[in-house]
Amino acid sequence: MNVLAQYIRDMSFENILVQKGGQAQGQPDVQVRVNLDAKRRQAENQYEVSIKLTVDSKSKESGTQLFLLEIDYAGVFQIENVPENQLHPYLMIECPRMLFPFLRRIVSDVSRDGGYPPLNLENIDFLQIYRNEIVRRQSEQQAQGKVATGPSGTA
């Protein structure tokens, strides 16, 4: 695997508290949501993998929203000699692991530049995210199968 490029596809930092004329006080409650996407590019053996991160920070005491950071960070990878049946997990686990340290630095810098203490994200377990998505899809398929056959299991 070679990382050919990495870039911010889209980013938004809304400093909501400051817009309302307030100042941050107390401990923040930070919620982080992660979405992954991968797609094949036109060039042979090239793939684009993106991590879409939403960071929502609120005051623990009052529940007032402090800031909202949304970032779509992508990398272009040249991947060879990975069996086809292992390509999808490789794209959704290993490639995000390669991108994450750079994304972490950006989140830290943006939150600091927004007037807050630097937000140092904990490591994200991309393997667990992948497993959870497989279980979710299997449950969804089973539910659709049950709906199609009716409640008694017969058509």
Side-chain angles (χ1 to χ4, degrees):
M1 171 183 43
N2 287 324
V3 181
L4 302 177
Q6 40 187 320
Y7 57 95
I8 297 171
R9 183 182 303 157
D10 189 25
M11 183 174 75
S12 169
F13 180 80
E14 297 177 48
N15 199 337
I16 296 164
L17 184 65
V18 172
Q19 290 176 18
K20 293 180 179 178
Q23 291 185 349
Q25 297 176 357
Q27 290 292 324
D29 178 27
V30 178
Q31 300 293 318
V32 178
R33 290 186 307 277
V34 180
N35 287 309
L36 302 173
D37 189 29
K39 62 184 175 184
R40 186 179 304 266
R41 293 173 54 98
Q42 288 185 349
E44 187 176 354
N45 297 323
Q46 285 189 12
Y47 301 87
E48 181 180 84
V49 176
S50 67
I51 304 172
K52 296 172 184 164
L53 202 67
T54 301
V55 180
D56 190 2
S57 179
K58 297 180 180 178
S59 168
K60 279 187 180 179
E61 292 79 27
S62 67
T64 304
Q65 190 162 27
L66 305 174
F67 68 84
L68 178 64
L69 171 62
E70 297 173 314
I71 184 167
D72 185 354
Y73 192 74
V76 177
F77 296 86
Q78 178 84 27
I79 300 173
E80 297 178 14
N81 301 320
V82 174
E84 190 65 34
N85 66 340
Q86 295 176 11
L87 186 60
H88 189 260
Y90 193 85
L91 290 170
M92 301 304 279
I93 299 167
E94 295 306 322
C95 293
R97 281 184 187 164
M98 296 293 292
L99 296 175
F100 183 71
F102 302 96
L103 176 59
R104 173 190 273 161
R105 182 189 53 79
I106 293 167
V107 169
S108 177
D109 289 350
V110 168
S111 60
R112 183 197 66 231
D113 292 349
Y116 299 94
L119 177 58
N120 295 309
L121 296 174
E122 294 181 20
N123 281 329
I124 295 174
D125 187 349
F126 294 104
L127 175 59
Q128 190 60 45
I129 290 172
Y130 185 77
R131 287 178 176 160
N132 291 345
E133 181 62 16
I134 288 173
V135 168
R136 185 191 70 76
R137 287 182 182 191
Q138 287 174 344
S139 297
E140 197 174 84
Q141 287 175 349
Q142 287 175 350
Q144 288 175 353
K146 289 179 182 177
V147 170
T149 60
S152 66
T154 59

